[in-house]
Each structure stands twice: as structure tokens, then as C-alpha cells.
């Protein structure tokens, strides 16, 4: 296949492209037709350890870490330029690997370019801070330093986008990294490591390992030479990483799952709310951490709202992400579709109603892909697993409410707290509700927008820490206080004659 003809199949460790230490490989599958796209190295724990040690050595050498902010910014900007230059190739590679529409992949690449540009701009901005010392004849200053060696672990739903949120701030601050993309979708990350090699970083600053987290991931949170584990993925994996990082009190940054409410008041612009409920719930076939999978709609408009949603869903075009008419691609894998199907069965057992979808499409040309029909589930309440657990598929549930207080209570009734939406034409009500929602992001009369300048992250079990914005840079920095005594004299606390 032309697109992957020259792509490396290897890992990038200590400045070299290397096979797995046991020569193992893994087939990367196109979720649209189950064809093998390419076979790449399947790394070992030994490979990851080598990468961590290379990162440690490079960081301690300080060749990159001690560069000026200006030089680091230039490097990160050079990566941004490469992303722009290779936009089309990278977008196509992402669609091939994930099944998402090409339009979405192009949007991802533009966002990724912006992420690198934003952090490039921040690299030389922090000049430290002088403190008014209360001790006479002292000078006191606060400086920020790169946190050190960072292991970075990403999921399969937004492979390169999630990687960019980690790589850009790490390189802007001067950290050394060991990146492990999802074993299911490593292709764009491999390509960007090739592009970063062209930009040029000292040996050991950027390392890429490949393979299944279940087999090689543990060392990334247990190794004593790691200063920060930055993880994006599922809740259970996040909990495991958090427990393991405790051994060496390693810093953690966790971006985990969500079960995001979308509150629709009866005074909302009906057409906009229906349209955004579809965007929120079905974007990338619902495989989005911030998917608006819990629609909470005022009882006075609930029946009309359900009908309008279902009518629009009948028109959705499923298919090949490379076709410009396609609106909804396949799910990522057989195992994942089994999981989504399993949740629909659970919903039925719990007494909910499958109002539309809930099954695989019958269309002949979709049989080889992991497709699942967009699904609306009604007659739900918060006691149900279908309302509480992350399905990560094109599945939305609908609950009704009567009062503002009830809407807020339902929306907050979740272990998660990643994001939520509020639709109403009453701006005071919108802001009142936004303030009461225990979530890292709240959209008013919109769903899904995020950008490099604003922080992203979760309350409650949706995570710890923030990516993007200047908060995203902070994750990669340590804070140090330096005090200088300008008239140093003996203090004679001890042993005074
Ligand atoms: P996952 O937890 O199964 O895997 C994520 C990554 O962790 C993969 O690279 C995997 O190989 C690795 N991994 C697995 N076990 C590991 C271990 N013991 N140690 C280290 N790494 C390990 O998640 P997934 O199925 O790839 O992704 C979907 C999940 O990601 C969803 O829950 C979604 O909500 C979440 N997500 C969150 C955000 C966010 O910003 N909060 C963004 C995207 C995805």
C-alpha cells in the first residue's frame, strides 16, 4: 500500500530505529475492511527499559533540557511545520488506521498543528518570578524546570491528537520522552517520530516504543527513572497506573473516561439542540472521551426531541472514511464492537427501550467493517448501567427532567466529570447550571469544541491534571525556590563559645 510503503515498522530508541528485542511483530488492521495495513514491531519490556534509560541519560546530560526557551520553541515550531507540510499524508494515514472520516482526520491534523504552534509560543515565556523575601539581605526567586523523564501513553481514538497534547509541552519544556501509542493505531505516531528525527533532537530525547500496554506498559509507571507518567485511556488502566506510580511517588497525569451529560432545556433553540446532540453523541462513532452520550431533556419537549433525533439518524450515511459522503465510520475493532453490543443487551435487560439502531447494519458493503448503527435508547434512569458506564460507541441514552435542580442532580450523578453541555436561550440559567456541573469543561449551546489555548481534563474519576493551555505546560514543569544571602555572616546557632 502506497501510503505505508516507506513507513518505518520499528521503534525509535536512543536515536535509532530498532526492531523488537525478540523480533515480534503485530498486524495493524483497517477497521473498515479488516485488511492488514502493515506489520510493525511489538516491543518488549526490555525495549521499554532501554528507552527509559536513554531518556534518563539524555535528560541528565542536559544537552536539550538546558537549551534556552527560544531554541526549544524553534524545535517545536519546526515539528508544527512538518505536520503542516505532511497534512494530507498524515490525515489519510489516520483514516486508514482508525476508520474515522477523512474530513475529521484533516480537522485533527489542523488541531495538532495548532497544538505544536501554541506550545512553541509558550516555550520562552516563563522567565521565573522574584519574591519579596521577608529575610533581610536575601534575594529570593522561583524558577521552573523541566520535570525530567516522561513516559507517555495514548489511546486509539485520537491517536496523533492525544500524542500531540503530550509531545508538544514535553519538548517545549525540555523533557525527555518515551511515547507508547495504542497498539491498535500506532501509524501516525510512527510517522511523526520520523518527522521529528528530521527536525533533529539529541539522542535519547525522543523515544518511541510499540506494543500492548497490558504486556509492556507496567514498567512505564514502575521504573525508578521515570519522573512523570502521562496517560490517556480507560479508567481501569488509569487506576492501575496510579497504584503502580505510588511505589516511587512518580508524578501522574491522567486523562480518563467520561459519561458526559447534555442538558436540553425546553427554551433551547430546538433545531440547534437536536443537531448538537447528534454531534455530541455520534462524532467518531461515539468513540470520544467527551461524547455527549447522556441526553437529559426537559419533559415538555422530550417526545418531540426523541422523534427529531431518530428522524435525523435515519439519514446518516455509514461507510468508508475515505468517501466524502460518509458521515459515520466503523468502530475500531471486533472486540470493541462486541463490547458496545454487550451494552445494548444490558440496556434491554435493564428495561430500557432501543428506539433506533442497536444492531449491526445490514448493508452488504459494510459487512467486512466493524460497523454499528447509531442508537438511541429511551426509558432510562440513572440507576442503569447503560446510563452510568462509558459505552464508547454511537449510543445515546435519553432521560427526562422537570426542574433545573433535577437536571443538575441527574447530570452530576456520575463517577465521571469530564465534560457536559447545556442548551437554553436563558443565558443566566446557562451560567448558573454551568457553575454547578462538576466537570472540567462545560459547553453552553455547543458541544465538543476544544482548542490548544484552553485546559482540558476531568473532575472526579475522569482524571488528574490538565492538558492544553498553560496548565498543560505546568504538568511538565517542576517549581524551584532559590534563595541567595547577599551578606552572609555566621548565625551562631550551634556550638557558640
Ligand atoms: P486503554 O486504557 O485500554 O488503553 C490506553 C493505552 O494504555 C494504550 O496505549 C494501552 O496499550 C495502554 N495500556 C494498557 N494497559 C497498560 C498498563 N498496564 N500500563 C501502561 N499502559 C497500558 O484505553 P483505550 O481503549 O485505548 O482508549 C479508550 C479510553 O480512553 C476511553 O475510556 C476514553 O474515554 C479514554 N480517553 C480519554 C481522553 C481524555 O482526554 N480524557 C481522551 C481520549 C480517550
Amino acid at each position: 500500500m502506497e501510503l505505508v510503503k516507506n513507513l518505518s515498522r520499528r521503534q525509535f530508541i536512543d536515536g535509532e530505529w530498532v526492531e523488537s528485542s525478540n523480533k515480534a511483530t503485530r498486524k495493524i488492521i483497517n477497521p473498515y475492511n479488516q485488511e492488514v495495513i502493515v506489520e510493525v514491531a511489538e516491543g518488549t519490556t526490555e525495549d521499554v527499559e532501554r528507552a527509559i534509560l536513554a531518556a534518563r541519560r539524555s535528560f541528565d546530560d542536559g544537552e536539550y533540557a538546558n537549551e534556552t526557551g527560544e531554541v526549544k520553541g524553534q524545535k517545536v515550531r519546526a515539528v508544527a511545520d512538518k505536520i503542516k507540510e505532511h497534512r494530507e499524508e498524515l490525515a489519510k494515514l489516520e483514516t486508514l488506521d482508525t476508520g474515522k472520516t477523512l474530513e475529521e482526520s484533516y480537522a485533527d491534523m489542523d488541531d495538532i498543528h495548532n497544538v505544536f504552534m501554541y506550545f512553541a509560543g509558550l516555550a520562552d515565556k516563563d522567565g521565573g518570578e522574584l519574591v519579596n523575601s521577608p529575610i533581610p539581605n536575601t534575594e529570593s526567586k522561583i524558577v521552573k524546570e523541566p520535570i525530567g523523564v516522561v513516559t507517555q501513553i495514548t489511546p486509539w481514538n485520537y491517536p496523533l491528537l492525544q500524542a500531540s497534547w503530550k509531545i508538544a509541552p514535553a519538548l517545549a519544556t525540555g523533557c525527555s520522552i518515551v511515547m507508547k501509542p495504542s497498539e491498535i493505531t500506532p501509524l501516525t505516531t510512527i510517522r511523526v517520530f520520523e518527522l521529528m528525527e528530521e527536525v533533529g533532537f539529541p539522542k535519547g530525547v525522543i523515544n518511541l516504543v510499540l506494543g500492548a500496554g497490558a504486556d509492556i506498559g507496567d514498567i512505564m509507571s514502575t521504573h525508578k527513572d521515570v519522573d512523570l507518567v502521562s496517560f490517556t485511556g480507560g479508567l481501569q488502566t488509569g487506576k492501575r497506573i496510579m497504584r503502580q506510580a505510588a511505589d516511587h511517588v512518580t508524578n501522574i497525569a491522567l486523562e480518563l473516561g467520561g459519561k458526559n451529560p447534555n442538558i436540553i432545556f425546553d427554551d433551547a433553540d430546538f433545531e440547534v439542540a437536536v443537531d448538537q446532540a447528534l454531534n455530541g453523541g455520534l462524532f467518531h462513532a461515539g468513540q470520544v472521551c467527551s461524547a455527549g452520550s447522556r441526553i437529559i431533556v426537559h419533559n415538555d419537549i422530550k417526545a418531540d426531541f426523541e422523534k427529531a433525533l431518530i428522524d435525523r439518524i435515519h439519514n446518516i450515511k455509514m461507510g468508508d472514511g475515505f468517501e466524502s459522503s460518509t458521515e459515520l465510520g466503523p468502530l475500531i475493532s471486533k472486540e470493541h464492537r462486541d463490547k458496545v453490543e454487550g451494552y445494548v443487551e444490558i440496556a434491554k435487560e435493564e428495561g430500557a427501550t432501543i428506539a433506533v439502531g442497536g444492531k449491526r447494519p445490514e448493508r452488504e458493503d459494510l459487512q467486512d467493517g466493524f460497523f454499528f448503527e447509531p442508537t438511541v435508547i429511551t426509558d432510562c434512569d440513572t440507576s442503569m448501567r447503560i446510563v452510568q458506564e462509558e459505552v464508547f460507541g454511537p449510543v445515546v441514552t435519553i432521560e427526562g427532567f422537570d426542574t433545573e435542580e433535577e437536571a443538575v442532580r441527574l447530570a452530576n450523578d456520575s463517577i465521571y466529570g469530564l465534560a457536559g453541555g447545556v442548551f437554553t436561550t436563558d443565558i443566566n440559567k446557562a451560567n448558573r447550571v454551568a457553575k454547578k456541573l462538576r466537570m472540567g469543561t462545560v459547553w453552553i449551546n455547543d458541544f465538543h469544541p476544544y482548542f490548544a489555548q484552553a485546559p482540558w481534563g476531568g473532575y472526579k474519576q475522569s482524571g488528574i491534571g490538565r492538558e492544553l493551555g498553560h496548565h498543560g505546560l505546568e504538568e511538565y514543569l517542576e517549581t524551584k525556590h532559590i534563595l541567595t544571602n547577599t551578606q552572609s555572616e555566621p548565625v551562631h546557632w550551634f556550638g557558640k563559645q
Side-chain angles (χ1 to χ4, degrees):
M1 196 177 298
E2 196 58 32
L3 206 50
V4 290
K5 209 171 84 193
N6 297 320
L7 184 76
S8 172
R9 275 86 168 132
R10 300 177 176 197
Q11 310 173 94
F12 192 68
I13 300 176
D14 207 6
E16 284 175 14
W17 290 96
V18 294
E19 290 179 5
S20 164
S21 64
N22 67 5
K23 306 276 186 281
T25 58
R26 167 185 292 268
K27 294 184 173 71
I28 304 301
I29 307 292
N30 179 343
Y32 169 65
N33 54 20
Q34 300 191 48
E35 279 174 12
V36 177
I37 304 169
V38 68
E39 240 175 278
V40 301
E42 178 77 356
T44 61
T45 300
E46 200 178 292
D47 296 329
V48 183
E49 174 151 40
R50 237 163 46 72
I52 291 172
L53 294 178
R56 181 82 261 162
R57 195 210 58 244
S58 74
F59 186 77
D60 293 345
D61 283 356
E63 187 183 342
Y64 185 67
N66 295 337
E67 282 288 8
T68 61
E70 193 186 3
V71 169
K72 290 172 191 161
Q74 283 163 358
K75 288 283 185 190
V76 178
R77 196 166 298 114
V79 179
D81 291 345
K82 292 276 182 192
I83 304 277
K84 195 171 196 172
E85 192 186 325
H86 294 268
R87 176 178 184 263
E88 185 179 343
E89 177 198 353
L90 287 166
K92 287 181 174 168
L93 207 50
E94 200 75 306
T95 289
L96 193 65
D97 209 2
T98 62
K100 68 169 70 179
T101 66
L102 196 53
E103 199 182 346
E104 270 190 64
S105 293
Y106 276 122
D108 282 3
M109 296 315 137
D110 294 342
D111 287 343
I112 290 162
H113 174 256
N114 290 341
V115 167
F116 278 98
M117 287 300 285
Y118 174 74
F119 284 109
L122 281 191
D124 63 357
K125 297 296 174 291
D126 193 339
E129 195 184 329
L130 285 178
V131 176
N132 256 331
S133 172
I135 306 170
N137 305 319
T138 62
E139 282 173 5
S140 177
K141 64 183 174 188
I142 296 170
V143 295
K144 297 282 173 94
E145 297 175 344
I147 201 166
V149 172
V150 186
T151 52
Q152 306 185 317
I153 304 160
T154 52
W156 47 258
N157 63 335
Y158 282 87
L160 193 55
L161 188 78
Q162 296 299 327
S164 73
W165 293 12
K166 300 184 190 303
I167 296 171
L171 295 179
T173 49
C175 294
S176 289
I177 62 172
V178 178
M179 157 67 65
K180 193 200 81 61
S182 167
E183 62 275 23
I184 305 172
T185 55
L187 301 186
T188 45
T189 309
I190 295 176
R191 184 69 186 113
V192 163
F193 267 76
E194 290 178 341
L195 298 176
M196 291 198 294
E197 185 189 17
E198 287 172 21
V199 167
F201 290 90
K203 269 172 70 159
V205 171
I206 54 165
N207 300 275
L208 171 72
V209 294
L210 301 173
D215 301 329
I216 63 167
D218 281 354
I219 191 171
M220 300 181 85
S221 53
T222 54
H223 200 286
K224 68 174 176 42
D225 284 322
V226 174
D227 298 299
L228 167 70
V229 191
S230 176
F231 170 77
T232 302
L235 176 59
Q236 295 313 322
T237 319
K239 285 183 182 178
R240 182 182 175 91
I241 286 172
M242 193 169 175
R243 278 193 292 268
Q244 295 188 145
D247 271 359
H248 295 104
V249 197
T250 306
N251 293 285
I252 48 169
L254 304 176
E255 297 284 349
L256 309 177
K259 187 76 184 180
N260 312 286
N262 190 0
I263 303 174
I264 322 281
F265 283 96
D266 51 347
D267 60 358
D269 180 320
F270 190 82
E271 204 187 324
V272 168
V274 170
D275 190 65
Q276 289 288 358
L278 291 165
N279 281 349
L282 302 180
F283 215 72
H284 193 16
Q287 302 168 116
V288 185
C289 53
S290 54
S293 52
R294 278 187 73 190
I295 296 172
I296 300 176
V297 56
H298 195 282
N299 278 324
D300 284 356
I301 59 165
K302 184 161 165 277
D304 289 345
F305 197 85
E306 287 173 2
K307 182 175 177 317
L309 267 191
I310 292 165
D311 285 351
R312 288 269 301 262
I313 281 179
H314 284 307
N315 296 330
I316 291 176
K317 293 168 207 68
M318 301 178 86
D320 183 354
F322 283 99
E323 292 289 333
S324 58
S325 58
T326 297
E327 296 172 296
L328 201 73
L331 296 175
I332 193 67
S333 65
K334 179 186 174 307
E335 294 70 27
H336 188 56
R337 183 171 61 181
D338 289 348
K339 180 185 150 192
V340 173
E341 275 176 339
Y343 268 112
V344 171
E345 288 312 307
I346 289 170
K348 288 183 196 161
E349 283 160 24
E350 289 178 317
T353 303
I354 312 305
V356 66
K359 57 182 176 51
R360 301 177 188 188
E362 280 152 22
R363 250 173 60 192
E364 192 70 23
D365 60 321
L366 300 182
Q367 295 312 307
D368 289 337
F370 305 119
F371 286 93
F372 196 75
E373 289 186 352
T375 302
V376 174
I377 304 184
T378 55
D379 300 319
C380 298
D381 66 61
T382 45
S383 69
M384 295 176 174
R385 284 182 65 192
I386 193 66
V387 174
Q388 291 293 343
E389 296 178 23
E390 187 183 46
V391 176
F392 225 54
V395 177
V396 295
T397 59
I398 302 193
E399 298 156 78
F401 71 89
D402 289 313
T403 64
E404 186 179 318
E405 291 68 33
E406 189 185 4
V408 169
R409 185 173 51 72
L410 291 175
N412 280 335
D413 183 1
S414 170
I415 60 167
Y416 294 110
L418 190 59
V422 186
F423 285 81
T424 170
T425 45
D426 178 344
I427 197 66
N428 291 335
K429 179 161 66 183
N431 279 294
R432 221 166 36 232
V433 171
K435 219 164 168 259
K436 288 182 192 152
L437 294 180
R438 300 208 60 231
M439 288 147 212
T441 298
V442 178
W443 294 292
I444 295 174
N445 294 327
D446 211 327
F447 214 95
H448 274 330
Y450 66 88
F451 35 76
Q453 289 79 359
W456 179 261
Y459 282 33
K460 301 197 263 181
Q461 295 189 35
S462 285
I464 293 179
R466 292 291 179 270
E467 292 192 304
L468 302 182
H470 67 82
H471 313 78
L473 197 80
E474 294 286 326
E475 300 277 354
Y476 289 86
L477 292 167
E478 283 281 17
T479 304
K480 181 179 282 177
H481 175 211
I482 300 175
L483 180 139
T484 308
N485 191 324
T486 53
Q487 287 182 28
S488 205
E489 285 171 3
V491 289
H492 299 304
W493 272 88
F494 296 106
K496 197 170 143 196
Q497 303 269 319

